[in-house]
Every structure is written in C-alpha cells, then in structure tokens.
Amino acid sequence: GRQQFNFSEWLTYPEEKQQKIKAEMIEEIEKGNMPLAGYVGIHDNTEITDEKLLILKTWAFAATDSI
C-alpha cells in the first residue's frame, strides 16, 4: 500500500505517476487481486461490485488532481 503510494501525498505526484497508479489500481481489481483476502475478512463492505468499479473508473478518467 503506502510503500507504492500514499493518498495523503497524492497532489504532490506528477500527473504521469498519478495516471500510472490509477491504471494499476483498476488492473489489480479487475484481475481479482484486490482487495486482499485478509483485508476482506476483517472489514465489512469491501466487495468490489460492478457499481464500485465503475465509480473508480469514472474517478480515474476524470481530472488527475482530484481525489
């Protein structure tokens, strides 16, 4: 997680890095790699539904500097 990036520092990242992170997030979710099974097991409401994935994609393809 934070070893790769930190949302608290998002606005300090160049646009190119933000776009790369967004693409990687979507790819990991679509492959079924995220969220991690251990995380899902201890947190409620973590299933990534089609609706949640659409929300993420909408954000990812919107303005780069927003969070």
Side-chain angles (χ1 to χ4, degrees):
R2 287 192 189 145
Q3 294 171 2
Q4 298 295 321
F5 72 94
N6 185 338
F7 277 118
S8 297
E9 298 174 358
W10 184 260
L11 295 178
T12 67
Y13 298 153
E15 182 176 349
E16 190 174 286
K17 182 174 181 174
Q18 291 179 6
Q19 293 295 354
K20 181 180 178 191
I21 292 168
K22 288 176 180 182
E24 289 172 354
M25 281 191 284
I26 291 168
E27 182 179 351
E28 290 300 310
I29 292 168
E30 288 180 330
K31 286 181 176 179
N33 296 335
M34 294 298 285
L36 298 173
Y39 183 86
V40 172
I42 59 173
H43 293 86
D44 293 331
N45 198 26
T46 55
E47 177 186 359
I48 302 296
T49 63
D50 289 342
E51 181 182 8
K52 288 179 181 178
L53 184 57
L54 178 60
I55 291 167
L56 178 63
K57 287 180 175 181
T58 300
W59 166 75
F61 298 117
T64 300
D65 61 351
S66 64
I67 232 177

